[in-house]
Amino acid sequence: QVQLRESGPGLVKPSQTLTLTCTVSGASIRRADYYWNWIRHRPGEALEWIGYIYHSGDAYYSPSLKRRVSISLGTSQNQFSLRVTSLTAADTGLYYCARSYSGSSTFDYWGQGTLVTVSS
Amino acid sequence: QSALTQPASVSGSPGQSITISCTGTSSDIGRYKYVSWYQHHAGKAPKLIISAVSDRPSGVSHRFSGSKSGNTASLTISGLQADDEADYYCGSYTSEDTLAVFGGGTKLTVL
């Protein structure tokens, strides 16, 4: 059974940098079959795809966020991380990690999400 | 990128059928057969219930079905059950410079 679990700080200050980690069990992030994605849901908005990372470490980002986000593979565990810089209140929302097949926009497994609030 | 448009809420009584629409453009739903639907119970992980417009993943009830016409995709839930009460999101592949575009979600209330 594939499971994903997000972790990170629930509260961050404006202008700071957010780092979230997704821990994966039941599947290896080192396999070439999948993309490992981050998606967020801000209040009153549609779900928003942020970016993905591939087993090789190559990453691809949403054009609207690419200047502030980066995704990286964990060094020793089955984890990958999201980093968002220059936070504002508009970044407040629920952040999910999710798996998709390579080249696919269908997300077959998701984490429960972690709430991030940007406030001073 | 532009989001897909879903109704904010729908409701139905147990045993009835309901349909949730998801309207996009010729750059996403209208162009590709890669529409997916997700069920989300609050506090739980979203669950994939429909992929590629109308395919049900293993283990998903036959009461869930999907279709597409032009720029609009639809999710139909037949024989409504109390446990179907949840938020439902659509998603699509897009020719825009991003992997996927999603809808804003529809809250299903089972009366």
Side-chain angles (χ1 to χ4, degrees):
Chain A
Q1 175 74 351
V2 178
Q3 292 185 317
L4 295 87
R5 177 170 51 85
E6 305 88 351
S7 59
L11 178 65
V12 287
K13 289 181 168 47
S15 80
Q16 288 189 340
T17 295
L18 169 71
T19 300
L20 299 177
T21 297
C22 182
T23 301
V24 180
S25 59
S28 173
I29 65 172
R30 307 291 174 175
R31 283 187 58 170
D33 305 303
Y34 307 112
Y35 291 159
W36 300 95
N37 300 266
W38 286 97
I39 295 163
R40 70 180 182 179
H41 193 191
R42 295 179 294 167
E45 303 286 339
L47 288 168
E48 181 181 20
W49 177 77
I50 298 171
Y52 70 72
I53 192 162
Y54 199 41
H55 71 103
S56 61
D58 292 334
Y60 188 74
Y61 307 108
S62 166
S64 64
L65 292 168
K66 64 190 298 182
R67 286 189 294 180
R68 296 196 298 124
V69 304
S70 62
I71 300 174
S72 58
L73 296 176
T75 52
S76 59
Q77 295 188 39
N78 213 25
Q79 295 179 328
F80 61 103
S81 296
L82 169 70
R83 187 169 176 266
V84 185
T85 62
S86 304
L87 290 168
T88 70
D91 293 308
T92 293
L94 200 52
Y95 285 72
Y96 297 97
C97 55
R99 188 185 84 167
S100 62
Y101 281 97
S102 298
S104 170
S105 61
T106 298
F107 305 91
D108 60 348
Y109 289 99
W110 299 60
Q112 290 185 311
T114 187
L115 180 62
V116 174
T117 301
V118 182
S119 175
S120 55
Chain B
Q1 67 277 16
S2 299
L4 307 176
T5 300
Q6 298 180 235
S9 62
V10 298
S11 62
S13 299
Q16 288 186 332
S17 295
I18 62 95
T19 297
I20 299 172
S21 62
C22 173
T23 301
T25 69
S26 57
S27 296
D28 38 67
I29 293 176
R31 178 173 293 190
Y32 303 104
K33 195 182 180 291
Y34 299 123
V35 179
S36 50
W37 289 90
Y38 306 89
Q39 178 191 59
H40 184 215
H41 289 103
K44 295 190 175 182
K47 176 185 177 182
L48 175 67
I49 56 174
I50 295 288
S51 65
V53 177
S54 58
D55 293 343
R56 273 186 309 275
S58 173
V60 174
S61 172
H62 284 72
R63 298 185 299 105
F64 294 92
S65 62
S67 62
K68 185 186 85 157
S69 177
N71 295 339
T72 298
S74 297
L75 171 71
T76 297
I77 308 174
S78 59
L80 272 179
Q81 299 177 358
D83 188 53
D84 296 333
E85 186 162 291
D87 293 327
Y88 292 83
Y89 296 91
C90 59
S92 174
Y93 190 78
T94 175
S95 63
E96 302 291 326
D97 195 19
T98 185
L99 181 63
V101 63
F102 295 96
T106 298
K107 182 175 181 59
L108 169 62
T109 300
V110 180
L111 302 170

